[in-house]
Amino acid sequence: IMAALAVVMLVLSLAFLIALSQLYRGRINAEQERAALQIGRLLHAALETAMLRRDLPGLQAILNDVATDPDIRAIRILNPDLEVRFATDPAFLGEHLDAAETRSALETRQPLALPVASGGDAGVRAVEPVANREPCQQCHGPIAAQPLNGLLVIDYDGAGLDAEMRRTGLALALAG
């Protein structure tokens, strides 16, 4: 009877651990995506100020400063044709980032953040549409003809968060 009870307790503990781990992972991923969108909005405001002043070196300096954060893999600014116009890594300049998330943000004109894998590493990509506004029309043309000036794409590293989730899962297992 004791052995049977021990096996039942072990199976139930494992089932609860798996369920709680999945809930925890989902909640952490949702928070990471929310934070990515918030940082994207803040960066968008700073970059817009530099663009309105036509301070392109200042815009690049902002990108480079923000990219020193170890949790940020890359930042790119795309034109409406999805061509990279500014980037933290010069190797990205001129490439076309024609991915499902960039096309979706371009079509819906809504910011989005979603998990992505890059080279086997998990992360989050935040895509922030940059709307054409009245002060922007001098360079980008009328709003009716060009409603979006482009997209701000920020790739975040998820390795640190994944390691933290594994440590917490292990701690839960040991506590159980």
Side-chain angles (χ1 to χ4, degrees):
I1 291 176
M2 292 291 283
L5 285 175
V7 169
V8 168
M9 289 295 291
L10 181 63
V11 169
L12 287 175
S13 291
L14 286 174
F16 279 118
L17 177 63
I18 291 169
L20 286 174
S21 293
Q22 293 304 316
L23 286 172
Y24 178 66
R25 178 176 289 278
R27 184 67 188 137
I28 292 296
N29 286 341
E31 274 304 306
Q32 187 180 29
E33 291 168 17
R34 186 186 66 77
L37 287 174
Q38 284 181 329
I39 292 170
R41 279 188 223 106
L42 289 170
L43 183 57
H44 176 190
L47 294 172
E48 188 174 80
T49 301
M51 279 289 227
L52 289 173
R53 283 190 258 138
R54 296 181 187 187
D55 180 12
L56 300 184
L59 182 140
Q60 187 64 51
I62 292 169
L63 289 180
N64 293 339
D65 283 348
V66 173
T68 61
D69 185 313
D71 292 332
I72 294 181
R73 285 186 189 150
I75 304 172
R76 290 167 266 205
I77 299 175
L78 284 58
N79 66 15
D81 296 326
L82 303 177
E83 178 188 356
V84 178
R85 303 290 300 173
F86 298 92
T88 53
D89 182 348
F92 293 138
L93 295 175
E95 82 172 11
H96 281 79
L97 190 58
D98 191 3
E101 61 272 9
T102 54
R103 284 192 309 275
S104 175
L106 195 61
E107 291 167 7
T108 65
R109 299 182 191 155
Q110 296 296 315
L112 62 90
L114 54 112
V116 293
S118 173
D121 294 329
V124 170
R125 173 170 286 163
V127 183
E128 176 83 22
V130 179
N132 194 357
R133 299 182 317 116
E134 190 174 321
C136 306
Q137 293 182 71
Q138 293 174 4
C139 296
H140 294 280
I143 295 171
Q146 176 111 1
L148 280 183
N149 293 338
L151 300 171
L152 172 62
V153 179
I154 307 170
D155 289 338
Y156 296 89
D157 189 6
L161 201 54
D162 280 348
E164 179 63 30
M165 284 191 282
R166 281 191 293 280
R167 281 192 298 275
T168 302
L170 182 59
L172 281 173
L174 292 174

